[in-house]
Structure formats: structure tokens, C-alpha cells
Amino acid sequence: MNEKRLDCRGLACPHPVIQTRKALEDPEVEAVVILVDNAAARENVSLFARNGGYGVGVTGQGGLWEIRVQKKDGERPAAPAPGDGPVYLVTSNQFGQGSPELGEVLIKSLLVALAEDPPATLVFLNTGVFLAVAGSSVLPQLEALKDKGTEILCCGTCLKYYRLEEKPALGRVSNMLEITERLHRSGRVITVA
Amino acid sequence: MGPATLAQVLRQIPPMHDENLLVGPGTADDTAVYRLTGDLALLATVDFFTPVVDDPYLFGQIAAANALSDIYAMGGRPVFALNIMCFPDCLPPEVMGDILRGGADKVLEAGAVIAGGHTVTDDEPKYGLAVTGLAQPAGVITNAGARPGDVLVLTKPLGTGVLAAALKGDLLDEDTINQVTESMRTLNREAGAAMTRFGLKACTDITGFGLLGHAAEMARASGVSLVFRYGALPLLPRVEEMAAMGIIPAGAYSNREYLEGQVGLTGLDQARELILFDPQTSGGLLTAVPSGQAGEFLAQLHSHGVTEARVVGGVVEQGSSLITVEK
């Protein structure tokens, strides 16, 4: 069990939550134990963990508490906390209407540009999924975005429909429920069609 | 300071009497009101705090709008203000200049003047103003004038405490930051003027004790109970999202604790509940409006640029709960 401990004594909002969130972003970490010394921090970290879909346990008393935040086994990793950046909904493998050749050039330069300011999530839908499978010309750009923390989701129904391999080359197969959840939670959704 | 501690400390101050002191500390109102002549009263208030934003000029504007708000909440017009500044030696003096310039610009916008001030060396900057205003004694709007049947109008969206914390955690986009700072630096002047035109009798401004903390003061002072509808409350963008993520300032918890047992809440999750207690910086005015005037009052607010004003609840006879919040 890979467990990370955080000492958040003496820290006021928002720092205990921000530190907890950062620790959970590490895919190697399975649980984070946070030491806090004020009730507001205890409540805030618990609220963050519950609403983020983690397991939460609080022990302690008398002004000192340990909060154990556990990633749940076998489940998808926690959704990135909203507010990190926009969600790009990519519904086509070309950017804009017109020449398909130009559309492909444009989508490539869009992904190159995005690496400068990575979005929270890229969602590939319909022919957009062609961008994330083997043979796509933009895999290096997607790889770079993924390294910078961008979540990449591919519509499973779309992959199946176009008879693409079961697994995208990058990112992960997703469903409409998760996709709509991402769109609803994000303050900014940008559609690339 | 939290309301519980404050109440404890203030109990030790001996009661004082002066027949011209029309509003004193007894009713936890926004300003003191002192009658000078039969048709003129002096309003006095002081408010200062640590920076809520990084930009010193903006902080000065927000602190001044916040201090001036108390005068508007009482139906007065500000006439002059004194600066109060705590400032560390380690920061460049230009920062202090920018804060004071922001404050001065707001005071000018309010039609008042800066008449002086006082500076103290301190580890952390703090800024605010002591503001003096004037009103006719009969036109003073206290927190004791709410009557059953009135509707409650709130003139600014809630959530500055949550969003200021989110800002410190670098969680906000530029658009949201602009909206929250714009809201905080906006004077409550238009809302105050509209209350005077309508001859309203009850108001308080929403600041550090949160919506329900200040509403409770109004309910107590007026001898009534208040009912709010959560869904009707104007909120700044992303407040619910940030609160659900656990970005809630400690003040919201102490404000809630102080009113434990006196507030009936139904069907709200923890994050939404705490938004009701979120400490506000330069928040809006909460005023009680006779129901027949409410529509016209709201229309006038909107046409004078107070576009976020909403009817958020109503005043009822005093019941077992000081405040009830419906979903």
C-alpha cells in the first residue's frame, strides 16, 4: 500500500485541500493521510474527498485529527478537480468545415498550441477518436499533453462504430455518462468540430 | 473575529446611555447613529481587514467600498472618511500608496472626502476606513424595522469568502476573478438610494458573519423570523463548485456554529449550507420591503445597475426558528 502523509497543521483554507488534491494526483499514491489541527480543515478535506468519490475516515480528537483519504480499488482514478482548465470536446478529426487536408493541418496545429496551455480534459467523440488511435499523426502532441496532466477520454461507442481497436493508443475509453459529467462540471467547454 | 467570541467580549463593556445615541451597540447594527439636531443625525462606522486580493489598488477600492457600505445600509450618505492603515516595513511604500489611492478613488466616487488617517507598523498589511455619514433621524434604516409580510431583497451575489479562498489556491479562471472583484468593489450606493426613495425601514449589509449571521441580527432586532429560499439566492459563478470541493473559509464554520439550533435548514447538502454562512467582503444589502412595493423596488434596482438584486425570502411572525431556509 503506497500511502502518503501530509502535515497540514497550522494551515488555513484552501491549503489543506490543495495539498491533499495534489498528493492524490500521483498515480502511485493509493491513500493520503492528512494531519490537521482545526475543525474547518477537517471538514473541508472530508468534503473534498467525499465529493471526489474517495473513501474517507477521520480519527482523533481534542483539536488534532488524522483524515485518511483512500482511492477506491479498481475504479477510475478520481476526476480532476474542476477549475484546472477548459474541457475540449473534439467531435471531428478535422478542424472546421472545408478542405479535409486543411482541416487535418489545423487540428494538428491546435494540439501543438494547446501544449502551451494544457486543458483539463480532451474528449474525443465521433471521428475525433481517429486522432487518438494507432496511426494518428498527432499522437506525439497528445502524448505531450498527457504528460502535462491533460486527461484524455475517448468515446467507446465511437471506437466500436468505426471498428477501431478496442483500446485507443492514448488516454482511456469512456462513456457518455462520464463525458457529460466532465462537461457539466467544467466551467468552460470548447467544442472543436 | 467570530460572532461567539465577539459577543462574549462585548458583554464586559459597561452599558452607556445618551438620549441622542439613537442606534448603539445593543442591536448589532451597521453604524452608530447620533442625533445632532431634530432633523440631522451623524452615522459612524469603522471597518478594516487584511488583503483579499493581490493587487493593492484593487484591495484599497474593495476595503473602501466595504467600509462605506455600512453608511448606505443605514440609509445615510457618507460625508468624510479617515484611513486606517497597518503596513510592514518590508514592503515598498508604493504598495501603500496604491492601496490608499484605491481607497481614495472609491471615497470620491461615493461623493465623500478623505479627511485624514492613521498608520501603524505591523507584520501584515491591513486597510480600511472610519466613515462618517449623515441622515435625517426619521430616514435612518436600522436592522430593527422588518415586519411580518415584508419580502427580503438581497442586492449582491454571495460567495466572496469561498472565492477569495479559491483565488489563494489558484483555482479560478480570469472571468470568475473579474466578476468577484467587480462585485466587491461596487458601492452599495444605488441600492441605498433606492431604499431611501421607497422609505424602507429595515436593512443590514452582508459582511463577515455571512448571509444568515447578519439576517439573524435583523431577525433578533426586529423581533421576527426570516424565511429564505436557497434556490432564489444570487450566487457568484463557481461558488457551489468550489464549496463542494471543500474550499470553505473557517469563518463560515464559526458563523454556522454561532447560530446552531436557531436556523432550520431543509434539504441542503453541507456545501450549500455553508455558503449561507460564508463571510462576505463588501457584500450586498439585505433589506425588508413591504410586499406591495417589492416589484417596483426590484425594477428600480435593476434599472440603476444593481442587476444581481433578487427577492430571496420573506419576513414572518417570530417562530421557533429565528431563520428557516427552504431548498
Side-chain angles (χ1 to χ4, degrees):
Chain A
M1 163 77 58
N2 191 345
E3 190 177 286
K4 186 172 172 127
R5 297 187 72 84
L6 295 175
D7 184 353
C8 289
R9 284 178 295 176
L11 293 184
C13 175
H15 302 291
V17 167
I18 301 289
Q19 288 196 14
T20 304
R21 183 178 143 206
K22 195 166 164 45
L24 288 163
E25 276 169 9
D26 181 348
E28 301 297 315
V29 168
E30 289 163 66
V32 180
V33 178
I34 308 105
L35 186 64
V36 297
D37 62 359
N38 67 83
R42 180 196 67 204
E43 292 302 305
N44 281 344
V45 172
S46 303
L47 200 59
F48 165 78
R50 272 202 312 278
N51 286 337
Y54 300 99
V56 193
V58 181
T59 53
Q61 55 179 347
L64 203 59
W65 298 274
E66 262 192 8
I67 308 158
R68 191 184 164 77
V69 179
Q70 173 85 45
K71 286 183 185 169
K72 292 183 178 171
D73 294 338
E75 284 189 16
R76 62 186 165 86
D84 273 358
V87 171
Y88 272 75
L89 178 63
V90 182
T91 66
S92 165
N93 59 345
Q94 296 161 21
F95 195 175
Q97 308 290 316
S99 149
E101 202 182 325
L102 175 62
E104 280 178 29
V105 170
L106 291 178
I107 201 120
K108 189 166 183 174
S109 64
L110 171 75
L111 291 168
V112 170
L114 280 182
E116 293 305 313
D117 186 12
T121 304
L122 277 171
V123 179
F124 292 109
L125 208 75
N126 213 317
T127 54
V129 295
F130 282 93
L131 297 167
V133 298
S136 155
S137 62
V138 296
L139 287 182
Q141 284 74 30
L142 291 182
E143 187 84 63
L145 283 167
K146 199 180 170 202
D147 286 345
K148 291 187 174 178
T150 296
E151 181 189 43
I152 296 172
L153 301 180
C154 292
C155 158
T157 312
C158 312
L159 288 167
K160 253 187 226 144
Y161 181 86
Y162 290 115
R163 300 210 169 83
L164 298 167
E165 310 153 69
E166 280 292 4
K167 241 173 97 75
L170 267 171
R172 126 183 113 65
V173 182
S174 184
N175 54 52
M176 205 50 93
L177 195 69
E178 188 182 32
I179 290 171
T180 51
E181 186 255 336
R182 289 292 187 281
L183 301 181
H184 289 172
R185 281 177 57 161
S186 170
R188 288 176 294 162
V189 175
I190 295 156
T191 304
V192 178
Chain B
M1 173 181 288
T5 320
L6 185 61
Q8 179 67 30
V9 172
L10 290 181
R11 264 198 289 278
Q12 295 165 24
I13 295 182
M16 298 175 202
H17 182 73
D18 182 327
E19 61 176 12
N20 287 315
L21 184 62
L22 303 182
V23 176
T27 48
D29 217 322
D30 300 307
T31 73
V33 180
Y34 194 90
R35 183 170 50 208
L36 296 175
T37 67
D39 59 1
L40 192 62
L42 195 77
L43 311 183
T45 179
V46 55
D47 207 333
F48 68 117
F49 45 69
T50 53
V52 284
V53 291
D54 287 336
D55 182 317
Y57 178 78
L58 197 54
F59 168 53
Q61 285 192 311
I62 292 168
N66 182 71
L68 289 157
S69 173
D70 285 325
I71 301 288
Y72 295 126
M74 299 296 282
R77 65 180 174 88
V79 287
F80 68 86
L82 306 173
N83 284 318
I84 299 160
M85 170 73 81
C86 301
F87 202 75
D89 290 330
C90 63
L91 282 178
E94 295 80 54
V95 172
M96 182 163 125
D98 286 343
I99 296 174
L100 291 175
R101 202 163 47 80
D105 283 351
K106 258 311 144 185
V107 168
L108 281 177
E109 184 188 332
V113 291
I114 300 272
H118 186 69
T119 311
V120 174
T121 304
D122 197 357
D123 293 343
E124 196 180 9
K126 299 173 191 75
Y127 174 64
L129 303 101
V131 188
T132 300
L134 295 174
Q136 290 186 333
V140 169
I141 306 171
T142 69
N143 63 4
R147 295 293 168 259
D150 289 350
V151 300
L152 294 168
V153 171
L154 178 65
T155 67
K156 277 189 189 178
L158 296 170
T160 68
V162 166
L163 293 184
L167 188 60
K168 282 183 193 152
D170 206 13
L171 295 168
L172 296 182
D173 57 283
E174 205 165 315
D175 201 37
T176 304
I177 296 170
N178 289 339
Q179 285 193 53
V180 63
T181 50
E182 197 54 42
S183 179
M184 288 191 289
R185 71 173 172 178
T186 299
L187 291 174
N188 281 328
R189 180 182 51 191
E190 290 302 335
M195 292 197 304
T196 300
R197 283 199 301 278
F198 280 77
L200 301 187
K201 296 291 177 219
C203 176
T204 184
D205 70 339
I206 305 303
T207 50
F209 298 158
L211 173 68
L212 296 197
H214 293 284
E217 291 173 342
M218 181 187 270
R220 270 194 220 105
S222 301
V224 295
S225 286
L226 304 180
V227 180
F228 289 93
R229 202 160 59 75
Y230 181 86
L233 294 173
L235 298 180
L236 284 162
R238 304 190 63 191
V239 171
E240 289 190 323
E241 174 201 338
M242 289 296 138
M245 239 179 91
I247 308 295
I248 300 171
Y253 290 96
S254 52
N255 287 341
R256 181 174 67 168
E257 196 181 326
Y258 182 62
L259 286 177
E260 207 169 355
Q262 300 178 73
V263 176
L265 297 160
T266 42
L268 291 181
D269 59 33
Q270 194 187 359
R272 291 192 169 92
E273 190 181 323
L274 284 157
I275 289 172
L276 299 167
F277 296 97
D278 181 40
Q280 303 295 286
T281 297
S282 191
L285 302 182
L286 176 70
T287 176
V289 189
S291 58
Q293 291 179 292
E296 181 56 24
F297 178 67
L298 209 58
Q300 284 214 14
L301 285 179
H302 291 167
S303 69
H304 283 79
V306 191
T307 52
E308 293 280 352
R310 301 280 181 275
V311 169
V312 295
V315 182
V316 296
E317 298 280 351
Q318 196 165 40
S320 54
S321 282
L322 203 55
I323 293 172
T324 308
V325 183
E326 296 160 356
K327 203 167 171 183

